[in-house]
Amino acid sequence: MQLSYQLNYTPRVLRLAAITFFKQLIGIRFPILVIALSGFISWQFFIGNRGWLIGTAIGAIAVVISIMLSLFIAHLKLASSNAKKLENAVCTLELKNYGISFKSPLGNAEFPWPNITSMRRYEKFIFLKFNDGNYTSIPTTCIDEAGIKFIKSSITKHGGSIV
């Protein structure tokens, strides 16, 4: 079986996919841990504990937050630049029995179904996550229910999950 679709990427879809990936990357525990640790350190600082350990902890938290923000901004900037390149371009999605392939001005990519670890459907896009930590998005306005059903069945047949 082979299905083919023309994809129309918009900057909004690619930005939403980048934000979704970043949220999954850091998870919910990390921000809670940073907030709790920041609260404890702030409390220690304001009650008069101004030792080197508190100063080092403040510096470490500032560095970690700066690194996370810079990674997020760089990732979002890359998604925005890709969106500009793909805005009026023809992108082709091919669904085959052995894998999924994308053809666009940014290049060609082909992935066997076992490399896709999970799929999550959002209102504007389908989010596919690969076993090497990368991801891709497929705009839902460009693919019909038969294609979505084929993607779901192929991913689950090869050990992936539908979230």
Side-chain angles (χ1 to χ4, degrees):
M1 178 177 209
Q2 182 171 342
L3 300 170
S4 183
Y5 298 96
Q6 295 296 318
L7 302 179
N8 297 317
Y9 284 98
T10 62
R12 182 166 188 226
V13 166
L14 290 176
R15 278 194 299 270
L16 287 172
I19 291 169
T20 300
F21 175 73
F22 196 76
K23 283 180 184 178
Q24 287 184 4
L25 182 67
I26 64 169
I28 189 71
R29 292 181 184 148
F30 181 74
I32 290 173
L33 177 66
V34 168
I35 290 168
L37 196 54
S38 297
F40 175 74
I41 291 170
S42 297
W43 173 67
Q44 286 292 312
F45 187 76
F46 289 120
I47 65 169
N49 186 355
R50 290 179 170 73
W52 68 271
L53 189 59
I54 297 300
T56 303
I58 290 170
I61 286 180
V63 167
V64 167
I65 290 173
S66 298
I67 289 171
M68 293 303 289
L69 282 175
S70 65
L71 286 173
F72 176 70
I73 290 168
H75 195 70
L76 204 56
K77 188 175 179 182
L78 177 65
S80 294
S81 74
N82 286 343
K84 286 178 185 171
K85 293 174 189 171
L86 292 175
E87 197 163 16
N88 296 319
V90 175
C91 303
T92 305
L93 167 69
E94 290 182 356
L95 306 174
K96 303 171 187 166
N97 287 333
Y98 60 86
I100 186 170
S101 66
F102 297 89
K103 293 177 182 153
S104 76
L106 296 178
N108 300 334
E110 192 165 311
F111 305 99
W113 292 115
N115 285 4
I116 301 174
T117 58
S118 68
M119 175 193 153
R120 184 178 293 231
R121 185 174 181 180
Y122 293 94
E123 181 182 342
K124 303 263 184 215
F125 63 95
I126 297 169
F127 186 82
L128 300 177
K129 193 169 181 185
F130 301 105
N131 59 4
D132 62 356
N134 288 319
Y135 73 95
T136 192
S137 60
I138 302 170
T140 53
T141 57
C142 303
I143 188 167
D144 59 7
E145 284 300 317
I148 294 171
K149 203 175 212 181
F150 182 74
I151 292 171
K152 284 181 180 180
S153 66
S154 297
I155 290 172
T156 53
K157 184 168 76 174
H158 291 93
S161 64
I162 309 299
V163 184

